[in-house]
Amino acid sequence: MSSGGAHVTVLLDEAVDSLAIKQDGVYVDATFGRGGHSRRILSALGDGGRLVALDRDPQAIAAGAAVADRRFQLVHRAFGELAEAAAEAGVASVDGILLDVGVSSPQIDDGERGFSFRYDAPLDMRMDTTQGETAAEWLARAELREITEVIKNYGEERFAFQIAKKVVAARGEQPIVTTAQFAALVRETVRTREPGQDPATRSFQALRIHINQELRQLEVVLPQALELLKPGGRLVVISFHSLEDRIVKNFMRAQSTADSLPKGLPLRADQLPQPKLRLIGKAIKPGAAEVAANPRARSAVMRVAEKV
């Protein structure tokens, strides 16, 4: 979602500009984080505008209390529950939706959350610490095949089977409950290093995506967003790795193409299925200056579409 130590919002200007904000419009920031995008959206709205923000992380909800603005409402929900959040806020349709998906810098930089191998901490990894299974609890019960599939599919790790075997053997000796324990197991197993990358990087990413069901959340929110948007409303999505971007790209491409029908059906032109989205420009990536100032921005990709 964002940068290193100090919290810097990725693609801030580009994302808010792409929403094409109307003064009296209604908008959703479905991933509040620490509120960088939300504050910029509020600064562009007039008195009659409204912004509803979502986040599943209790720390983000606590941070949102600092935004004292009658036009703003923050809902404690995962972005995959967009439709429910909008209904709770009394919003039937909106002019724009922003999704900045993935893990946020405060989550990574708070060692106690268990997202990072740079700190020795409880192996938690839950974005919403009020519910669900921790990474340690999952590793304690998951079968070899399941651990292999998660690390392979979500981490794109070619040593997934070997790592899973190591985990299953190690947990028989003692529970794997800290980030340092898990990282050490992975490092012992992954002998080849990618330049500048810790061998545990891919496996930590895989566990985090699985524990938080991040790709599933993205798959379910996109149709909800399309349904919620008014005609002419914008959908702006920032993703941070290829698995997320593929989901977004395929959804936007499919919805911007009319459904094909069998040849020879007796239909008039106005009866033919119409595309539901119009793609706006090409994928946008951070410029060299932003990446230099904020290395975590280097993998960000933003895609924009407008409801027809």
Side-chain angles (χ1 to χ4, degrees):
M1 254 183 217
S2 25
S3 83
H7 186 70
V8 181
T9 305
V10 174
L11 291 169
L12 177 59
D13 294 333
E14 295 89 339
V16 178
D17 288 348
S18 295
L19 285 170
I21 288 177
K22 302 172 184 174
Q23 289 272 301
D24 59 350
V26 180
Y27 295 87
V28 174
D29 178 356
T31 43
F32 179 76
R34 291 302 180 268
H37 288 123
S38 281
R39 288 181 175 87
R40 182 63 64 89
I41 292 168
L42 287 167
S43 72
L45 284 172
D47 289 342
R50 187 172 178 200
L51 174 64
V52 177
L54 286 64
D55 210 292
R56 67 200 299 191
D57 189 334
Q59 292 185 8
I61 297 299
V67 183
D69 193 312
R70 60 174 179 73
R71 303 169 299 168
F72 176 74
Q73 183 174 354
L74 183 57
V75 181
H76 183 201
R77 277 190 179 271
F79 62 72
E81 300 169 326
L82 174 63
E84 293 96 327
E88 282 177 16
V91 171
S93 60
V94 301
D95 296 286
I97 298 169
L98 172 63
L99 282 158
D100 178 5
V101 299
V103 67
S104 72
S105 291
Q107 289 168 334
I108 294 173
D109 294 332
D110 180 353
E112 292 303 309
R113 299 294 297 272
F115 287 103
S116 176
F117 46 76
R118 291 187 287 124
Y119 310 98
D120 186 13
L123 191 59
D124 190 318
M125 292 196 183
R126 292 171 301 163
M127 291 180 179
D128 185 346
T129 51
T130 67
Q131 61 181 322
E133 190 174 40
T134 68
E137 289 166 344
W138 181 76
L139 282 178
R141 67 160 183 82
E143 296 178 357
L144 173 67
R145 177 187 55 79
E146 191 179 3
I147 299 171
T148 301
E149 288 178 355
V150 164
I151 294 176
K152 179 182 177 182
N153 294 338
Y154 297 156
E156 299 176 293
E157 170 61 76
R158 58 196 174 104
F159 296 105
F161 176 67
Q162 293 92 326
I163 293 166
K165 268 181 66 176
K166 191 88 167 178
V167 166
V168 171
R171 76 187 183 190
E173 302 292 325
Q174 63 172 341
I176 303 165
V177 294
T178 70
T179 53
Q181 281 178 286
F182 180 61
L185 289 172
V186 177
R187 290 175 188 135
E188 288 169 17
T189 311
V190 178
R191 297 299 183 185
T192 59
R193 292 170 176 264
E194 295 176 56
Q197 186 177 91
D198 190 289
T201 301
R202 291 177 178 271
S203 296
F204 267 72
Q205 171 187 295
L207 250 65
R208 190 202 82 222
I209 289 173
H210 175 70
I211 291 299
N212 295 289
Q213 293 293 292
E214 291 175 38
L215 301 185
R216 180 61 185 153
Q217 289 276 321
L218 186 55
E219 288 169 348
V220 301
V221 74
L222 294 172
Q224 294 176 49
L226 178 57
E227 185 69 24
L228 195 58
L229 282 171
K230 297 175 183 176
R234 293 283 181 92
L235 173 61
V236 178
V237 186
I238 303 170
S239 57
F240 284 81
H241 59 70
S242 58
L243 296 173
E244 295 168 340
D245 183 51
R246 193 175 307 139
I247 291 169
V248 177
K249 179 173 66 176
N250 289 344
F251 176 82
M252 288 186 172
R253 182 181 292 161
Q255 296 299 330
S256 63
T257 307
D259 294 333
S260 58
L261 293 173
K263 289 183 179 178
L265 281 182
L267 293 174
R268 299 190 308 271
D270 63 351
Q271 294 176 311
L272 294 173
Q274 299 300 310
K276 295 173 182 171
L277 286 176
R278 179 172 68 89
L279 302 181
I280 304 294
K282 296 181 178 179
I284 296 172
K285 298 184 178 183
E290 181 170 4
V291 172
N294 177 10
R296 286 183 192 162
R298 68 186 179 278
S299 58
V301 179
M302 186 178 83
R303 296 184 185 275
V304 184
E306 183 176 284
K307 187 167 181 178
V308 176

